[in-house]
Every structure is written in C-alpha cells, then in structure tokens.
Amino acid sequence: MQNILLTIVLAPLFGAIIAGLFPVSRRVAHTVTIGGVGLSFFLSLYVFKYIVLNGHGPYNETVYTWLTSGNINIQVGFLIDSLTALMMVVVTFVSWMVHIYTVGYMRDDPGYQRFFSYISLFTFSMLMLVMSNNFMQLFFGWEAVGLVSYLLIGFWYTKESAIFANLKAFLVNRVGDFGFVLGIAGVLMYFGSLDYDHVFKLAGEGHAKDVLVQIIPGYQWSVLTLICLLLFMGAMGKSAQFPLHVWLPDSMEGPTPISALIHAATMVTAGIFMVARMSPLYEMSETALSVILVIGAITALFMGLLGLVQNDIKRVVAYSTLSQLGYMTVALGASAYATGIFHLMTHAFFKALLFLAAGSVIIAMHHDQDIRNMGGLKKYMPITYWTSLIGSLALIGFPGFAGFFSKDAIIEAAHHAYELQRPGACFAYYAVLSGVFITALYSFRMFFLVFHGKERMDEHTREHLHETPAVVTLPLIMLAIPSVLAGMLTIQPLLFGHFFDGAIFAAHAVFDPEEYHGVLSMMVHGLTQLPFWFAMAGLGTAYYLYLVNPAIPKVIAQYLKIPHQILLNKYGFDDFYQAIFAGGTRDIGKNFWKTGDVKLIDGMLVNGTAAMVAFFSSVVRHLQTGYLYHYAFAMILGLAVLLGVFVLN
C-alpha cells in the first residue's frame, strides 16, 4: 500500500519536473503531466475501493522520519481514511480534467510547458496536504499550494495586473498563515506532538480542555479555543473567508484552467478540509464553532451579492466560489463536517465545469470576457451551452442535481444549529437561505446574458463563432456527469450512513438515518421547501430582468445608486486594505528609510563619521605644514611654555 500511495503523490511531481526542468517538446510536456495525474486518479480509485469500500482502512503509517529534536519526531507519513480517500479522488479527477482541457486552452501560449509543470506541481502539493498524518506535513502542503498559486496567478508575468494579483494573494495568505503556524505551535506546546492520531486521542481524553491562558491582562482564554481560532485563521486565508477574501476574485488574472483548479478542487478547499480533519479539536470549543458559523454566513451572503454586479464572466463565477465556500464554512460551524465535505465534493465538479465552460466561451469570443458583449451563443456552442446549464442548475440547487442535495443539507444543518441555540446560528440560517435567491439570480443573469437574448458581439467575432475543439468540450462533458449524479449517488453514505466514522468527530448527529427515505423522496420533499422556491424566484427574476425587460436593471441601478456603487466597490475592502495596510506599510517603510537609512545611518554614522574625520584632519594638518620656520616657532613656543611652568613651580 505504501508504494501505491507514494506513486499517487510522486507521479504528478515527476511530470512537473520533466515538463518544467527539461527542454522537452509540448507533446512530451502534456503527455507526462496528464499521464502522471491520470495515474494518480486511477490509483486513488483503487485506494478508495480498498480502504473504504472493502473496509481495510484506515491506513496510518510513517514513510520516514525527517527530523528528531528531543522528544519531538517530525515525520513524513500518510493517513488514509474515508475523508482522505474521498479528497484524493476529487482532487485527482478534477485536476486530470483540467490538464486535458489545458491542451486546447493554452495551445498558442509560449509558456505551454511551464504551465503544465505548474499545474502538475499544484496537484502534488494538494495531495501531500490531504494525505498527511501530521501537522508539519500538512503545513508543507499548505505552503506549497500557496507558492504554486502565486506562480500560476502571475503566470502571464508581463501583465501588470497579474503581478499585482499574485502578490495580493501571497500577502493576504501570509496573514492567515501567521495564525495557522501559531496554532500548530500551540498544538505542539500543549499536546507535545504533531501527529494527528496522538493529538486527537489526547483531546478526546480531555487533555488541555480546562487549561486557560492570559493573552491580554485581565482576560483568560481557553487554550483549545485559542488553538482552534488560530488554525481557522489559516483556513480564512486559504479558503478566502471574510475578511481575508479579497485575493480570490483577483486570481482570475491567471489562465482559466488554473482558475478552475484553484476554485474547485485544490487551494480554496484546503481550509475546509483542514477544519473537518481537526473536528476532534473544534468540537471541544463552541466559541470557535460560533465564530466559524458567523464568518461563513457573512461570506455566503455578502460575497454572493457582489456577483450581481460583475460583468467579467470569470469574476461572476469567482464570487460564486466565495459564496459557496461560505456555505461550506457554515456547515463546519454547525458541526456538520460531513455536510461541508459533501458540498466540497459536489461543488468541485460543477464549479470546475462552470469555469471550464467560461473558458470555452472566452476562446470562442477571442478572449473577450465581458458578458455584455455576448448573447445568443446557444446556437453556436451547443455543447458548452448544455454543460453550462447543467453546472448552473447544480449551483442553484435545482432538485436532482448535485448541488441540490449538498446545499439543502447545509441549510438544514444551519437550522439544526439554530434549534440547538448555538450563538450566531440564527443569522447563519437566514443568511444561507437568502443566499439561495441571490445565487440563482447572479447565476442565471450570467447564463441568459451569455447564451440567450440579442447577439451583442462585433461582426468579426460573430463570423468566427463556433464550438470549441473536443479537447475542450470532452472535459466539460466528463464534469457534467458528476454534476448531475454525484449528489444522489453519495448522499446516503455520506450524510445518513457511516462513511466518515473514525475520520470525522461530531458531538451531535445532524441527520438521523431513519429520516432518509431515498433520493426520490428527498427531491419531492425539496419541491415544497423554501430553498427551492427561493431558487425559482431568483431564476424567474433573472429571466424577466435580462430577457423579457432588459431595460429594468439600469433603472434599478440608478434608483439604488448608493448600494449599487457599494457593490461595485466591493464594500471598499480592497481600497481600505490598499490604503491602510499596503499604503500604510509603504509609508512606514518610507519613513524608516528617510529617518533610519538616510539620516541616521547615511547621515550620522557614515557621512557623519567621514565629516568628523575631515574636521579633525583639517585641524591637525595645520601642525604639519612642511615649513621649517613653522616648526622652529612651535619649538620656541613650546620651550617658552615649559620654562613658564618651571618658573611657576
């Protein structure tokens, strides 16, 4: 088993090294990377079957010890249970589809080999993260996906906006990672180990449960609460939760395939996975769970609203990702960790589908991304149209599609937390319920403006419009299948069964197995519930506003000028961070430079020392003139002084 797991991890790394460090052709670059990730996917399926379906798990073994310091062993090892196995299959499948799609999308790009190297390295990093059995290896994967995302967002490094975006992503994630590494340090300090199994066992026995620490004089904090909040800071950065959400929309500056990979199956899901993995710790702190609940609800509701005013096709999907990550975070805060992972899985399929479909549209539109310049693409791009419709229906939670089962489950979990009177659950429940209407409105606003209505593109673009090649449409079809089927095929074991037993710990069960009466029953029941009617209201509103009476949105924007401007300015967070943190940091640095470098170091120490030496030299040099009568005069003067002293004495 260890050799298989090593192959799963190292195959993408091998492909990345070949494509990135050797002078190989384009064909070789995409062959080794697609082959490596494809091999990882099929081996992940085998591991899933062996560990989960055949009941041979969990597997928890150390590969080697990297470092020993005192009683602390820092190791590289694998923990493969049902949670890990599911993540491995999702990550490798979505990544494999993105790799295949990239052959068509990046066909004319001069950085072709470099891009394949990066996305394969991205897959390796995410696999190291999800397969780790200790905090140090988790941190390695955590930072590795951050590094590769920096490289990929700024892939077109001659584009100034791309460089700004990757630097922004890097710096915002450093804020979250600062808390994350402090949380890991807290685990090591109070549990004496970085091994998951050992730490979770001690937590279950009540270790450090009642330990208090004083950070601010007069205020004491539970150590477990503090550790959980610090770890969640890392998740806020990686999974783009309010207020560390600002980097994710700007990540659209990278090529579309990496947008799909970042938003669907790798970097942004790392925070959700981490909190679910740490469920034995989080269940010990209701305070931490309430914070997670509220942060997720704010992200789900307010980031969804921003999608209503976006005109860049990729940015609409990006704000959708932010909102859906908020839904997953709400599930975690409601102790419905399995529900959060369930939505992570279904979302990975339909969000990758939507991003790749957006990329297909962008190719056909000659890289014009403004949905106001589109319209009527249905007749030109039938495969992209139908797959986009499937992705959109899955996103809004239409009954029968994957998103219906997972999103409704999250809303139900938030309502359950509300009934248990968990602090913040009331706000969270109404936020995710309202988010259903908003999601349907911005999703079908984009869908109708792109594929229906009046054709608004220029004549040259219209003449060359056609469906994209099979290398682009095949991944769309492959992702459309689980976007329909993934929810109905997995809801029973994941939410009502014992799939996550031993992998996820929750003090209270959210879903009672006896309440499950089959997929069809859930779909019929869903037709009578508020989420369905909210979704249909959003869809109907989008249809009326953008197809029946398209003049109304402009009237609404003028009538609600101030709220509209607030949304266009993204609540002012970007401007605030740019002015206060980025600008403030630059001002501090400039003052340090002017005061410390120019005045103190250069002015006083360097130039001041030189000036002092010059001054004393100018005085002393008068003693060495080279004229004999000056020296004779000095000797006579000195003799007179000595005689005067002698006479006085």
Side-chain angles (χ1 to χ4, degrees):
M1 178 56 69
Q2 188 176 101
N3 290 336
I4 293 174
L5 296 176
L6 284 171
T7 303
I8 291 172
V9 169
L10 296 178
L13 178 62
F14 175 78
I17 291 172
I18 296 297
L21 299 182
F22 292 89
V24 297
S25 67
R26 292 183 167 219
R27 181 181 292 273
V28 172
H30 70 234
T31 300
V32 294
T33 51
I34 292 173
V37 176
L39 177 61
S40 294
F41 168 63
F42 287 110
L43 289 177
S44 295
L45 284 178
Y46 171 78
V47 170
F48 184 88
K49 180 178 181 295
Y50 182 82
I51 296 292
V52 179
L53 301 183
N54 293 346
H56 290 114
Y59 173 92
N60 187 5
E61 295 292 339
T62 298
V63 177
Y64 69 92
T65 300
W66 179 60
L67 183 148
T68 299
S69 177
N71 296 325
I72 301 168
N73 292 321
I74 297 178
Q75 301 167 328
V76 175
F78 298 129
L79 169 60
I80 312 298
D81 53 18
S82 53
L83 174 59
T84 305
L86 180 66
M87 289 294 297
M88 287 165 62
V89 171
V90 171
V91 169
T92 52
F93 176 72
V94 173
S95 179
W96 193 35
M97 293 299 103
V98 170
H99 275 68
I100 296 171
Y101 176 92
T102 300
V103 175
Y105 191 89
M106 301 293 287
R107 180 179 55 192
D108 300 321
D109 197 285
Y112 189 85
Q113 292 95 321
R114 179 165 58 94
F115 189 81
F116 271 100
S117 175
Y118 286 171
I119 58 176
S120 196
L121 185 61
F122 208 174
T123 308
F124 158 76
S125 303
M126 190 64 185
L127 286 171
M128 284 293 286
L129 190 155
V130 300
M131 294 169 67
S132 63
N133 69 350
N134 63 84
F135 284 89
M136 188 54 65
Q137 188 176 329
L138 170 73
F139 187 70
F140 165 79
W142 194 269
E143 293 303 308
V145 294
L147 168 65
V148 185
S149 70
Y150 170 82
L151 297 173
L152 284 162
I153 294 169
F155 180 79
W156 288 318
Y157 53 83
T158 57
K159 190 178 174 185
E160 195 170 322
S161 58
I163 297 303
F164 179 83
N166 74 349
L167 185 61
K168 185 176 182 179
F170 184 81
L171 292 175
V172 171
N173 273 277
R174 296 291 69 73
V175 175
D177 291 353
F178 175 71
F180 188 61
V181 75
L182 287 178
I184 293 175
V187 169
L188 180 60
M189 181 175 179
Y190 287 97
F191 291 91
S193 174
L194 292 175
D195 181 75
Y196 289 162
D197 197 45
H198 184 69
V199 171
F200 296 160
K201 183 179 179 182
L202 289 177
E205 294 172 355
H207 187 80
K209 184 178 181 180
D210 300 320
V211 178
L212 300 177
V213 62
Q214 186 169 285
I215 304 174
I216 303 171
Y219 294 91
Q220 289 189 320
W221 285 60
S222 162
V223 162
L224 271 175
T225 295
L226 183 61
I227 288 173
C228 289
L229 289 175
L230 288 171
L231 291 174
F232 183 64
M233 269 187 69
M236 287 168 66
K238 276 290 179 289
S239 293
Q241 295 298 291
F242 169 86
L244 300 181
H245 63 279
V246 293
W247 68 270
L248 191 58
D250 287 354
S251 69
M252 297 301 97
E253 292 294 336
T256 298
I258 193 51
S259 300
L261 199 55
I262 288 177
H263 286 243
T266 53
M267 184 170 172
V268 297
T269 61
I272 306 300
F273 165 80
M274 184 274 293
V275 175
R277 173 60 77 197
M278 304 300 151
S279 57
L281 298 180
Y282 281 95
E283 281 300 288
M284 301 294 172
S285 173
E286 186 177 67
T287 301
L289 290 174
S290 292
V291 170
I292 293 171
L293 196 61
V294 172
I295 293 292
I298 292 172
T299 307
L301 177 60
F302 292 101
M303 296 306 110
L305 286 170
L306 294 181
L308 296 173
V309 298
Q310 299 301 313
N311 295 312
D312 184 312
I313 187 171
K314 286 171 64 177
R315 284 185 177 268
V316 176
V317 186
Y319 280 106
S320 163
T321 299
L322 277 173
S323 181
Q324 296 307 303
L325 288 167
Y327 273 85
M328 298 176 209
T329 306
V330 165
L332 300 174
S335 295
Y337 307 99
T339 309
I341 296 298
F342 182 38
H343 193 54
L344 183 157
M345 177 196 69
T346 60
H347 174 265
F349 297 130
F350 62 73
K351 186 50 58 69
L353 171 60
L354 286 171
F355 263 114
L356 298 187
S360 178
V361 169
I362 291 168
I363 293 171
M365 291 292 299
H366 302 288
H367 293 272
D368 184 354
Q369 299 181 192
D370 194 328
I371 59 178
R372 294 171 296 185
N373 299 333
M374 301 178 189
L377 293 185
K378 177 184 177 182
K379 67 179 180 181
Y380 300 103
M381 309 179 70
I383 298 176
T384 303
Y385 171 81
W386 288 109
T387 52
S388 295
L389 179 59
I390 289 171
S392 299
L393 290 172
L395 174 60
I396 71 170
F398 191 83
F401 291 81
F404 162 74
F405 298 99
S406 55
K407 184 182 281 189
D408 275 28
I410 290 174
I411 296 170
E412 182 61 33
H415 186 260
H416 179 74
Y418 178 29
E419 291 178 336
L420 292 177
Q421 298 183 338
R422 175 161 292 171
C426 177
F427 166 68
Y429 172 66
Y430 288 108
V432 294
L433 193 59
S434 304
V436 175
F437 172 82
I438 296 166
T439 301
L441 180 55
Y442 68 66
S443 298
F444 275 88
R445 167 183 176 263
M446 179 183 71
F447 183 79
F448 291 141
L449 286 176
V450 171
F451 293 106
H452 291 277
K454 180 183 176 182
E455 296 178 5
R456 298 178 297 277
M457 69 286 296
D458 59 71
E459 198 60 39
H460 174 75
T461 303
R462 182 185 288 107
E463 289 174 0
H464 293 85
L465 274 175
H466 59 81
E467 185 61 90
T468 44
V471 73
V472 173
T473 55
L474 178 61
L476 298 183
I477 296 169
M478 294 296 292
L479 286 164
I481 295 169
S483 296
V484 177
L485 300 177
M488 63 179 69
L489 293 179
T490 59
I491 185 170
Q492 194 277 328
L494 265 60
L495 296 192
F496 295 94
H498 302 284
F499 184 87
F500 288 117
D501 284 4
I504 288 174
F505 172 75
H508 303 284
V510 178
F511 298 99
D512 186 353
E514 295 183 2
E515 294 179 356
Y516 180 72
H517 301 293
V519 170
L520 186 60
S521 175
M522 287 193 70
M523 291 167 57
V524 172
H525 180 68
L527 294 173
T528 65
Q529 300 301 301
L530 281 176
F532 171 74
W533 293 108
F534 274 43
M536 291 304 97
L539 192 156
T541 303
Y543 178 79
Y544 180 77
L545 292 179
Y546 297 100
L547 290 184
V548 177
N549 200 339
I552 290 184
K554 292 181 181 179
V555 176
I556 294 174
Q558 291 175 353
Y559 185 72
L560 301 174
K561 192 172 183 179
I562 294 177
H564 184 251
Q565 194 60 43
I566 290 172
L567 293 179
L568 285 176
N569 290 335
K570 296 169 278 190
Y571 306 117
F573 278 100
D574 281 9
D575 295 336
F576 176 77
Y577 290 162
Q578 189 68 24
I580 303 300
F581 293 111
T585 304
R586 282 198 300 268
D587 288 342
I588 291 171
K590 190 180 292 183
N591 288 327
F592 274 127
W593 165 64
K594 285 184 176 179
T595 304
D597 204 33
V598 175
K599 292 183 179 179
L600 181 62
I601 297 174
D602 284 347
M604 292 182 62
L605 297 181
V606 178
N607 296 333
T609 303
M612 189 180 299
V613 170
F615 171 75
F616 282 111
S617 299
S618 67
V619 173
V620 173
R621 73 184 176 196
H622 291 298
L623 302 177
Q624 299 292 337
T625 64
Y627 294 109
L628 185 62
Y629 63 86
H630 285 174
Y631 299 146
F633 177 75
M635 292 171 65
I636 293 169
L637 185 65
L639 182 61
V641 171
L642 288 173
L643 286 172
V645 172
F646 178 75
V647 170
L648 289 173
N649 286 337

